[in-house]
Amino acid sequence: IKGRGVSPVLPTKFIIFSCIHRLRCYVIESCKPTSLFGESPLNNVKNSQEDLHSKLLRVMASSKRLEEQVDQCLWFQKMLMGLVSLLMAITCSMLYLLYMDGSRF
């Protein structure tokens, strides 16, 4: 630098201005307005409504599956109760018949 006759202050100013220019370009690029076809607040609301709608549909589908499983369990429980009642009726009638046969002798 000394051999060329350039003062040492000039490169420092150049570096500072270069950094400021890069920073300005970065700030301008990061703050670009959204386009009409890109991500806009209306699209975000629409996307969140679609997400909410899809989540609601999934919850309803899982609720329907759960309801079907509960219905199946209730049907099975009713069937078991019917069979147990039938077995209890048969057992009681057999015990009654055995009691009546034993009291004759």
Side-chain angles (χ1 to χ4, degrees), residues 21-72:
H21 176 71
R22 279 191 223 133
L23 183 61
R24 253 191 236 146
C25 290
Y26 175 75
V27 170
I28 290 172
E29 286 176 3
S30 64
C31 294
K32 284 184 181 176
T34 57
S35 66
L36 294 175
F37 301 109
E39 292 294 321
S40 68
L42 293 176
N43 284 344
N44 289 339
V45 170
K46 186 178 178 184
N47 288 341
S48 66
Q49 287 177 351
E50 288 174 358
D51 290 343
L52 184 62
H53 183 68
S54 66
K55 287 178 184 177
L56 183 62
L57 287 177
R58 278 184 284 176
V59 167
M60 287 174 57
S62 66
S63 176
K64 185 166 177 70
R65 286 192 302 265
L66 183 62
E67 184 180 358
E68 290 171 356
Q69 289 176 350
V70 167
D71 286 342
Q72 230 176 9

